[in-house]
Amino acid sequence: GGGGGGGGGGAADGELGASGLHSVMQKLVGNATADSELSFEYMLKPRAEREKIGLGALDMKELPFQVQIRYTNLRGDVCMRVMSQYRATTKEKSVAERAAKVEMLMTHNMQQSGFMAGEGDYTTAQVNNRAYSKLMRRCAQTEEDKGKVGVWQHNAGLLDNELRNAQLHNTEEATSRLSFGTKAGRKAARSKNDTLSHAIYKSKATSAKKMSSLW
């Protein structure tokens, strides 16, 4: 599943906590603009955990979500904006895929893969792109959606190519410098690779608004 909001990043960068029926993700966004977006993934607690709080068998038609945004405006005032919404649930994967917003999945994937690559986890970023490629082809219901997926495939392919080239280079370097085989080593090596650094930055900064100019 997935969701959307304002900010930048993904669930992997937040702090998750659970108490009883509540699950909370806290995310420090930093400076945000009209193009900034934040998306996250979620899932139900395992049945064993639900049974402990009296929710072993669930037949919920919708799930509640709430976003609390604390920010400082241009006048220096500290403000909070609260948005609450119930989202319908389904046990049918095909139903969820038909209702999915392709552009939201695209930006979530690009940001997620960008952060993975930024941490030096190149292989996981590439695998993530391939997994989402199959998902988005199933979710594309219209010719417009298929066109959007084509744009995503092009952009994901650019990042994938740079990651593959970096891996080949790092493999050669690793014969004499073992540190290149680690995430930290790959992050250090990237400081000398402007093309890869730009591709990762562009992926992390992806938003539906920015990509909409491409279709």
Side-chain angles (χ1 to χ4, degrees), residues 82-112:
V82 179
M83 294 172 284
S84 302
Q85 191 175 91
Y86 281 87
R87 303 295 293 175
T89 65
T90 179
K91 295 181 180 179
E92 299 296 330
K93 183 171 70 172
S94 60
V95 173
E97 290 174 347
R98 285 197 300 271
K101 294 182 179 179
V102 170
E103 57 270 27
M104 188 278 291
L105 291 174
M106 291 165 51
T107 55
H108 176 74
N109 165 258
M110 291 297 293
Q111 291 180 8
Q112 192 178 59

PDB file of all heavy atoms in Angstrom, residues 82-112:
ATOM      1  N   VAL A  82      -3.378  20.061  10.652  1.00  0.00           N
ATOM      2  CA  VAL A  82      -3.809  18.676  10.882  1.00  0.00           C
ATOM      3  C   VAL A  82      -4.790  18.266   9.786  1.00  0.00           C
ATOM      4  O   VAL A  82      -5.756  18.987   9.505  1.00  0.00           O
ATOM      5  CB  VAL A  82      -4.480  18.514  12.261  1.00  0.00           C
ATOM      6  CG1 VAL A  82      -4.931  17.062  12.463  1.00  0.00           C
ATOM      7  CG2 VAL A  82      -3.506  18.924  13.371  1.00  0.00           C
ATOM      8  N   MET A  83      -4.525  17.120   9.163  1.00  0.00           N
ATOM      9  CA  MET A  83      -5.405  16.580   8.131  1.00  0.00           C
ATOM     10  C   MET A  83      -5.740  15.134   8.480  1.00  0.00           C
ATOM     11  O   MET A  83      -4.839  14.332   8.735  1.00  0.00           O
ATOM     12  CB  MET A  83      -4.734  16.646   6.760  1.00  0.00           C
ATOM     13  CG  MET A  83      -4.495  18.060   6.256  1.00  0.00           C
ATOM     14  SD  MET A  83      -3.491  18.112   4.748  1.00  0.00           S
ATOM     15  CE  MET A  83      -1.866  17.801   5.445  1.00  0.00           C
ATOM     16  N   SER A  84      -7.024  14.809   8.526  1.00  0.00           N
ATOM     17  CA  SER A  84      -7.487  13.459   8.861  1.00  0.00           C
ATOM     18  C   SER A  84      -8.320  12.905   7.714  1.00  0.00           C
ATOM     19  O   SER A  84      -9.065  13.638   7.062  1.00  0.00           O
ATOM     20  CB  SER A  84      -8.322  13.473  10.150  1.00  0.00           C
ATOM     21  OG  SER A  84      -7.573  13.995  11.230  1.00  0.00           O
ATOM     22  N   GLN A  85      -8.182  11.600   7.495  1.00  0.00           N
ATOM     23  CA  GLN A  85      -8.923  10.991   6.391  1.00  0.00           C
ATOM     24  C   GLN A  85      -9.040   9.489   6.607  1.00  0.00           C
ATOM     25  O   GLN A  85      -8.135   8.860   7.156  1.00  0.00           O
ATOM     26  CB  GLN A  85      -8.201  11.265   5.069  1.00  0.00           C
ATOM     27  CG  GLN A  85      -9.005  10.923   3.831  1.00  0.00           C
ATOM     28  CD  GLN A  85      -8.285  11.320   2.562  1.00  0.00           C
ATOM     29  OE1 GLN A  85      -7.547  10.524   1.988  1.00  0.00           O
ATOM     30  NE2 GLN A  85      -8.484  12.564   2.123  1.00  0.00           N
ATOM     31  N   TYR A  86     -10.158   8.930   6.184  1.00  0.00           N
ATOM     32  CA  TYR A  86     -10.340   7.487   6.170  1.00  0.00           C
ATOM     33  C   TYR A  86     -10.134   6.990   4.739  1.00  0.00           C
ATOM     34  O   TYR A  86     -10.632   7.608   3.793  1.00  0.00           O
ATOM     35  CB  TYR A  86     -11.751   7.100   6.649  1.00  0.00           C
ATOM     36  CG  TYR A  86     -11.915   7.127   8.145  1.00  0.00           C
ATOM     37  CD1 TYR A  86     -12.273   8.301   8.803  1.00  0.00           C
ATOM     38  CD2 TYR A  86     -11.692   5.981   8.895  1.00  0.00           C
ATOM     39  CE1 TYR A  86     -12.407   8.331  10.181  1.00  0.00           C
ATOM     40  CE2 TYR A  86     -11.832   5.999  10.278  1.00  0.00           C
ATOM     41  CZ  TYR A  86     -12.187   7.172  10.917  1.00  0.00           C
ATOM     42  OH  TYR A  86     -12.312   7.199  12.285  1.00  0.00           O
ATOM     43  N   ARG A  87      -9.397   5.887   4.586  1.00  0.00           N
ATOM     44  CA  ARG A  87      -9.149   5.316   3.279  1.00  0.00           C
ATOM     45  C   ARG A  87      -9.767   3.929   3.198  1.00  0.00           C
ATOM     46  O   ARG A  87      -9.585   3.098   4.099  1.00  0.00           O
ATOM     47  CB  ARG A  87      -7.660   5.224   3.005  1.00  0.00           C
ATOM     48  CG  ARG A  87      -6.924   6.555   3.106  1.00  0.00           C
ATOM     49  CD  ARG A  87      -7.382   7.531   2.041  1.00  0.00           C
ATOM     50  NE  ARG A  87      -6.996   7.091   0.709  1.00  0.00           N
ATOM     51  CZ  ARG A  87      -7.351   7.701  -0.411  1.00  0.00           C
ATOM     52  NH1 ARG A  87      -8.120   8.773  -0.344  1.00  0.00           N
ATOM     53  NH2 ARG A  87      -6.951   7.245  -1.571  1.00  0.00           N
ATOM     54  N   ALA A  88     -10.501   3.675   2.124  1.00  0.00           N
ATOM     55  CA  ALA A  88     -11.160   2.382   1.943  1.00  0.00           C
ATOM     56  C   ALA A  88     -10.134   1.261   1.803  1.00  0.00           C
ATOM     57  O   ALA A  88      -9.030   1.467   1.292  1.00  0.00           O
ATOM     58  CB  ALA A  88     -12.053   2.421   0.709  1.00  0.00           C
ATOM     59  N   THR A  89     -10.477   0.077   2.281  1.00  0.00           N
ATOM     60  CA  THR A  89      -9.596  -1.082   2.196  1.00  0.00           C
ATOM     61  C   THR A  89     -10.197  -2.137   1.272  1.00  0.00           C
ATOM     62  O   THR A  89     -11.393  -2.113   0.966  1.00  0.00           O
ATOM     63  CB  THR A  89      -9.374  -1.715   3.578  1.00  0.00           C
ATOM     64  OG1 THR A  89     -10.627  -2.249   4.051  1.00  0.00           O
ATOM     65  CG2 THR A  89      -8.853  -0.699   4.580  1.00  0.00           C
ATOM     66  N   THR A  90      -9.369  -3.051   0.824  1.00  0.00           N
ATOM     67  CA  THR A  90      -9.826  -4.176   0.014  1.00  0.00           C
ATOM     68  C   THR A  90      -8.856  -5.338   0.192  1.00  0.00           C
ATOM     69  O   THR A  90      -7.678  -5.127   0.467  1.00  0.00           O
ATOM     70  CB  THR A  90      -9.914  -3.813  -1.479  1.00  0.00           C
ATOM     71  OG1 THR A  90     -10.346  -4.960  -2.224  1.00  0.00           O
ATOM     72  CG2 THR A  90      -8.556  -3.372  -2.019  1.00  0.00           C
ATOM     73  N   LYS A  91      -9.352  -6.545   0.050  1.00  0.00           N
ATOM     74  CA  LYS A  91      -8.514  -7.735   0.107  1.00  0.00           C
ATOM     75  C   LYS A  91      -8.131  -8.208  -1.290  1.00  0.00           C
ATOM     76  O   LYS A  91      -7.389  -9.181  -1.433  1.00  0.00           O
ATOM     77  CB  LYS A  91      -9.247  -8.853   0.852  1.00  0.00           C
ATOM     78  CG  LYS A  91      -9.505  -8.544   2.324  1.00  0.00           C
ATOM     79  CD  LYS A  91     -10.209  -9.698   3.019  1.00  0.00           C
ATOM     80  CE  LYS A  91     -10.454  -9.378   4.490  1.00  0.00           C
ATOM     81  NZ  LYS A  91     -11.159 -10.501   5.182  1.00  0.00           N
ATOM     82  N   GLU A  92      -8.646  -7.521  -2.310  1.00  0.00           N
ATOM     83  CA  GLU A  92      -8.381  -7.890  -3.699  1.00  0.00           C
ATOM     84  C   GLU A  92      -7.268  -7.015  -4.273  1.00  0.00           C
ATOM     85  O   GLU A  92      -7.430  -5.799  -4.399  1.00  0.00           O
ATOM     86  CB  GLU A  92      -9.650  -7.743  -4.543  1.00  0.00           C
ATOM     87  CG  GLU A  92     -10.797  -8.614  -4.093  1.00  0.00           C
ATOM     88  CD  GLU A  92     -10.478 -10.097  -4.242  1.00  0.00           C
ATOM     89  OE1 GLU A  92      -9.697 -10.464  -5.147  1.00  0.00           O
ATOM     90  OE2 GLU A  92     -11.013 -10.885  -3.425  1.00  0.00           O
ATOM     91  N   LYS A  93      -6.141  -7.637  -4.596  1.00  0.00           N
ATOM     92  CA  LYS A  93      -5.007  -6.876  -5.117  1.00  0.00           C
ATOM     93  C   LYS A  93      -5.365  -6.140  -6.408  1.00  0.00           C
ATOM     94  O   LYS A  93      -4.962  -4.992  -6.622  1.00  0.00           O
ATOM     95  CB  LYS A  93      -3.821  -7.808  -5.360  1.00  0.00           C
ATOM     96  CG  LYS A  93      -2.565  -7.082  -5.831  1.00  0.00           C
ATOM     97  CD  LYS A  93      -1.358  -8.002  -5.859  1.00  0.00           C
ATOM     98  CE  LYS A  93      -1.481  -9.035  -6.961  1.00  0.00           C
ATOM     99  NZ  LYS A  93      -0.225  -9.823  -7.124  1.00  0.00           N
ATOM    100  N   SER A  94      -6.139  -6.793  -7.276  1.00  0.00           N
ATOM    101  CA  SER A  94      -6.485  -6.187  -8.556  1.00  0.00           C
ATOM    102  C   SER A  94      -7.315  -4.924  -8.370  1.00  0.00           C
ATOM    103  O   SER A  94      -7.190  -3.960  -9.135  1.00  0.00           O
ATOM    104  CB  SER A  94      -7.241  -7.190  -9.436  1.00  0.00           C
ATOM    105  OG  SER A  94      -8.441  -7.601  -8.799  1.00  0.00           O
ATOM    106  N   VAL A  95      -8.181  -4.915  -7.351  1.00  0.00           N
ATOM    107  CA  VAL A  95      -9.005  -3.734  -7.066  1.00  0.00           C
ATOM    108  C   VAL A  95      -8.115  -2.573  -6.627  1.00  0.00           C
ATOM    109  O   VAL A  95      -8.288  -1.428  -7.078  1.00  0.00           O
ATOM    110  CB  VAL A  95     -10.056  -4.044  -5.979  1.00  0.00           C
ATOM    111  CG1 VAL A  95     -10.801  -2.768  -5.570  1.00  0.00           C
ATOM    112  CG2 VAL A  95     -11.033  -5.092  -6.474  1.00  0.00           C
ATOM    113  N   ALA A  96      -7.164  -2.844  -5.750  1.00  0.00           N
ATOM    114  CA  ALA A  96      -6.250  -1.803  -5.270  1.00  0.00           C
ATOM    115  C   ALA A  96      -5.393  -1.268  -6.419  1.00  0.00           C
ATOM    116  O   ALA A  96      -5.155  -0.062  -6.519  1.00  0.00           O
ATOM    117  CB  ALA A  96      -5.358  -2.364  -4.168  1.00  0.00           C
ATOM    118  N   GLU A  97      -4.942  -2.146  -7.300  1.00  0.00           N
ATOM    119  CA  GLU A  97      -4.093  -1.721  -8.416  1.00  0.00           C
ATOM    120  C   GLU A  97      -4.873  -0.854  -9.402  1.00  0.00           C
ATOM    121  O   GLU A  97      -4.332   0.115  -9.940  1.00  0.00           O
ATOM    122  CB  GLU A  97      -3.513  -2.945  -9.115  1.00  0.00           C
ATOM    123  CG  GLU A  97      -2.470  -3.654  -8.264  1.00  0.00           C
ATOM    124  CD  GLU A  97      -1.974  -4.941  -8.871  1.00  0.00           C
ATOM    125  OE1 GLU A  97      -2.592  -5.442  -9.838  1.00  0.00           O
ATOM    126  OE2 GLU A  97      -0.954  -5.474  -8.381  1.00  0.00           O
ATOM    127  N   ARG A  98      -6.143  -1.158  -9.631  1.00  0.00           N
ATOM    128  CA  ARG A  98      -6.942  -0.345 -10.548  1.00  0.00           C
ATOM    129  C   ARG A  98      -7.189   1.051  -9.984  1.00  0.00           C
ATOM    130  O   ARG A  98      -7.357   2.009 -10.737  1.00  0.00           O
ATOM    131  CB  ARG A  98      -8.287  -1.034 -10.840  1.00  0.00           C
ATOM    132  CG  ARG A  98      -8.191  -2.212 -11.777  1.00  0.00           C
ATOM    133  CD  ARG A  98      -9.562  -2.577 -12.336  1.00  0.00           C
ATOM    134  NE  ARG A  98     -10.518  -2.942 -11.290  1.00  0.00           N
ATOM    135  CZ  ARG A  98     -10.679  -4.183 -10.835  1.00  0.00           C
ATOM    136  NH1 ARG A  98      -9.934  -5.179 -11.332  1.00  0.00           N
ATOM    137  NH2 ARG A  98     -11.575  -4.443  -9.905  1.00  0.00           N
ATOM    138  N   ALA A  99      -7.228   1.160  -8.652  1.00  0.00           N
ATOM    139  CA  ALA A  99      -7.491   2.453  -8.013  1.00  0.00           C
ATOM    140  C   ALA A  99      -6.213   3.243  -7.727  1.00  0.00           C
ATOM    141  O   ALA A  99      -6.285   4.391  -7.275  1.00  0.00           O
ATOM    142  CB  ALA A  99      -8.258   2.236  -6.706  1.00  0.00           C
ATOM    143  N   ALA A 100      -5.069   2.655  -7.988  1.00  0.00           N
ATOM    144  CA  ALA A 100      -3.795   3.299  -7.643  1.00  0.00           C
ATOM    145  C   ALA A 100      -3.538   4.524  -8.511  1.00  0.00           C
ATOM    146  O   ALA A 100      -3.937   4.589  -9.675  1.00  0.00           O
ATOM    147  CB  ALA A 100      -2.649   2.302  -7.809  1.00  0.00           C
ATOM    148  N   LYS A 101      -2.865   5.514  -7.932  1.00  0.00           N
ATOM    149  CA  LYS A 101      -2.445   6.706  -8.662  1.00  0.00           C
ATOM    150  C   LYS A 101      -1.028   6.467  -9.179  1.00  0.00           C
ATOM    151  O   LYS A 101      -0.074   6.415  -8.397  1.00  0.00           O
ATOM    152  CB  LYS A 101      -2.484   7.934  -7.750  1.00  0.00           C
ATOM    153  CG  LYS A 101      -3.888   8.313  -7.294  1.00  0.00           C
ATOM    154  CD  LYS A 101      -3.863   9.559  -6.435  1.00  0.00           C
ATOM    155  CE  LYS A 101      -5.275   9.951  -5.995  1.00  0.00           C
ATOM    156  NZ  LYS A 101      -5.249  11.162  -5.127  1.00  0.00           N
ATOM    157  N   VAL A 102      -0.913   6.301 -10.478  1.00  0.00           N
ATOM    158  CA  VAL A 102       0.370   5.942 -11.083  1.00  0.00           C
ATOM    159  C   VAL A 102       1.449   6.980 -10.773  1.00  0.00           C
ATOM    160  O   VAL A 102       2.591   6.638 -10.462  1.00  0.00           O
ATOM    161  CB  VAL A 102       0.208   5.765 -12.610  1.00  0.00           C
ATOM    162  CG1 VAL A 102       1.564   5.631 -13.291  1.00  0.00           C
ATOM    163  CG2 VAL A 102      -0.647   4.542 -12.914  1.00  0.00           C
ATOM    164  N   GLU A 103       1.090   8.279 -10.848  1.00  0.00           N
ATOM    165  CA  GLU A 103       2.097   9.314 -10.618  1.00  0.00           C
ATOM    166  C   GLU A 103       2.609   9.295  -9.177  1.00  0.00           C
ATOM    167  O   GLU A 103       3.774   9.606  -8.918  1.00  0.00           O
ATOM    168  CB  GLU A 103       1.558  10.703 -10.974  1.00  0.00           C
ATOM    169  CG  GLU A 103       0.289  11.111 -10.243  1.00  0.00           C
ATOM    170  CD  GLU A 103      -0.972  10.709 -10.979  1.00  0.00           C
ATOM    171  OE1 GLU A 103      -0.935   9.724 -11.749  1.00  0.00           O
ATOM    172  OE2 GLU A 103      -1.993  11.387 -10.788  1.00  0.00           O
ATOM    173  N   MET A 104       1.747   8.933  -8.212  1.00  0.00           N
ATOM    174  CA  MET A 104       2.190   8.835  -6.824  1.00  0.00           C
ATOM    175  C   MET A 104       3.162   7.668  -6.659  1.00  0.00           C
ATOM    176  O   MET A 104       4.191   7.792  -5.982  1.00  0.00           O
ATOM    177  CB  MET A 104       0.984   8.664  -5.898  1.00  0.00           C
ATOM    178  CG  MET A 104       1.299   8.747  -4.413  1.00  0.00           C
ATOM    179  SD  MET A 104       1.940   7.220  -3.698  1.00  0.00           S
ATOM    180  CE  MET A 104       0.462   6.202  -3.780  1.00  0.00           C
ATOM    181  N   LEU A 105       2.857   6.528  -7.281  1.00  0.00           N
ATOM    182  CA  LEU A 105       3.755   5.375  -7.218  1.00  0.00           C
ATOM    183  C   LEU A 105       5.100   5.712  -7.853  1.00  0.00           C
ATOM    184  O   LEU A 105       6.155   5.301  -7.356  1.00  0.00           O
ATOM    185  CB  LEU A 105       3.124   4.178  -7.923  1.00  0.00           C
ATOM    186  CG  LEU A 105       1.904   3.545  -7.255  1.00  0.00           C
ATOM    187  CD1 LEU A 105       1.320   2.460  -8.158  1.00  0.00           C
ATOM    188  CD2 LEU A 105       2.275   2.943  -5.903  1.00  0.00           C
ATOM    189  N   MET A 106       5.067   6.448  -8.954  1.00  0.00           N
ATOM    190  CA  MET A 106       6.299   6.818  -9.641  1.00  0.00           C
ATOM    191  C   MET A 106       7.209   7.653  -8.745  1.00  0.00           C
ATOM    192  O   MET A 106       8.402   7.361  -8.601  1.00  0.00           O
ATOM    193  CB  MET A 106       5.959   7.599 -10.909  1.00  0.00           C
ATOM    194  CG  MET A 106       5.311   6.789 -12.000  1.00  0.00           C
ATOM    195  SD  MET A 106       4.548   7.814 -13.290  1.00  0.00           S
ATOM    196  CE  MET A 106       5.877   8.923 -13.718  1.00  0.00           C
ATOM    197  N   THR A 107       6.645   8.710  -8.151  1.00  0.00           N
ATOM    198  CA  THR A 107       7.471   9.584  -7.325  1.00  0.00           C
ATOM    199  C   THR A 107       7.945   8.871  -6.060  1.00  0.00           C
ATOM    200  O   THR A 107       9.076   9.065  -5.615  1.00  0.00           O
ATOM    201  CB  THR A 107       6.703  10.865  -6.943  1.00  0.00           C
ATOM    202  OG1 THR A 107       5.467  10.517  -6.307  1.00  0.00           O
ATOM    203  CG2 THR A 107       6.383  11.685  -8.176  1.00  0.00           C
ATOM    204  N   HIS A 108       7.082   8.034  -5.485  1.00  0.00           N
ATOM    205  CA  HIS A 108       7.488   7.268  -4.297  1.00  0.00           C
ATOM    206  C   HIS A 108       8.673   6.373  -4.635  1.00  0.00           C
ATOM    207  O   HIS A 108       9.665   6.324  -3.897  1.00  0.00           O
ATOM    208  CB  HIS A 108       6.321   6.429  -3.795  1.00  0.00           C
ATOM    209  CG  HIS A 108       6.676   5.547  -2.635  1.00  0.00           C
ATOM    210  ND1 HIS A 108       6.867   6.037  -1.358  1.00  0.00           N
ATOM    211  CD2 HIS A 108       6.893   4.198  -2.553  1.00  0.00           C
ATOM    212  CE1 HIS A 108       7.183   5.037  -0.539  1.00  0.00           C
ATOM    213  NE2 HIS A 108       7.198   3.921  -1.249  1.00  0.00           N
ATOM    214  N   ASN A 109       8.584   5.670  -5.758  1.00  0.00           N
ATOM    215  CA  ASN A 109       9.676   4.776  -6.144  1.00  0.00           C
ATOM    216  C   ASN A 109      10.964   5.534  -6.419  1.00  0.00           C
ATOM    217  O   ASN A 109      12.042   5.123  -5.966  1.00  0.00           O
ATOM    218  CB  ASN A 109       9.277   3.978  -7.385  1.00  0.00           C
ATOM    219  CG  ASN A 109      10.468   3.323  -8.052  1.00  0.00           C
ATOM    220  OD1 ASN A 109      10.960   3.812  -9.071  1.00  0.00           O
ATOM    221  ND2 ASN A 109      10.961   2.251  -7.475  1.00  0.00           N
ATOM    222  N   MET A 110      10.877   6.634  -7.158  1.00  0.00           N
ATOM    223  CA  MET A 110      12.085   7.375  -7.502  1.00  0.00           C
ATOM    224  C   MET A 110      12.764   7.929  -6.257  1.00  0.00           C
ATOM    225  O   MET A 110      13.991   7.862  -6.123  1.00  0.00           O
ATOM    226  CB  MET A 110      11.736   8.517  -8.469  1.00  0.00           C
ATOM    227  CG  MET A 110      11.320   8.059  -9.858  1.00  0.00           C
ATOM    228  SD  MET A 110      12.632   7.180 -10.749  1.00  0.00           S
ATOM    229  CE  MET A 110      13.819   8.505 -11.010  1.00  0.00           C
ATOM    230  N   GLN A 111      11.970   8.468  -5.321  1.00  0.00           N
ATOM    231  CA  GLN A 111      12.542   8.965  -4.074  1.00  0.00           C
ATOM    232  C   GLN A 111      13.163   7.826  -3.272  1.00  0.00           C
ATOM    233  O   GLN A 111      14.279   7.938  -2.757  1.00  0.00           O
ATOM    234  CB  GLN A 111      11.469   9.663  -3.242  1.00  0.00           C
ATOM    235  CG  GLN A 111      10.980  10.978  -3.821  1.00  0.00           C
ATOM    236  CD  GLN A 111       9.915  11.617  -2.950  1.00  0.00           C
ATOM    237  OE1 GLN A 111       9.631  11.160  -1.848  1.00  0.00           O
ATOM    238  NE2 GLN A 111       9.311  12.683  -3.444  1.00  0.00           N
ATOM    239  N   GLN A 112      12.432   6.724  -3.152  1.00  0.00           N
ATOM    240  CA  GLN A 112      12.892   5.580  -2.371  1.00  0.00           C
ATOM    241  C   GLN A 112      14.197   5.026  -2.936  1.00  0.00           C
ATOM    242  O   GLN A 112      15.164   4.797  -2.201  1.00  0.00           O
ATOM    243  CB  GLN A 112      11.801   4.515  -2.365  1.00  0.00           C
ATOM    244  CG  GLN A 112      12.017   3.387  -1.373  1.00  0.00           C
ATOM    245  CD  GLN A 112      10.860   2.399  -1.401  1.00  0.00           C
ATOM    246  OE1 GLN A 112      10.567   1.808  -2.441  1.00  0.00           O
ATOM    247  NE2 GLN A 112      10.184   2.230  -0.271  1.00  0.00           N
TER     248      GLN A 112
END
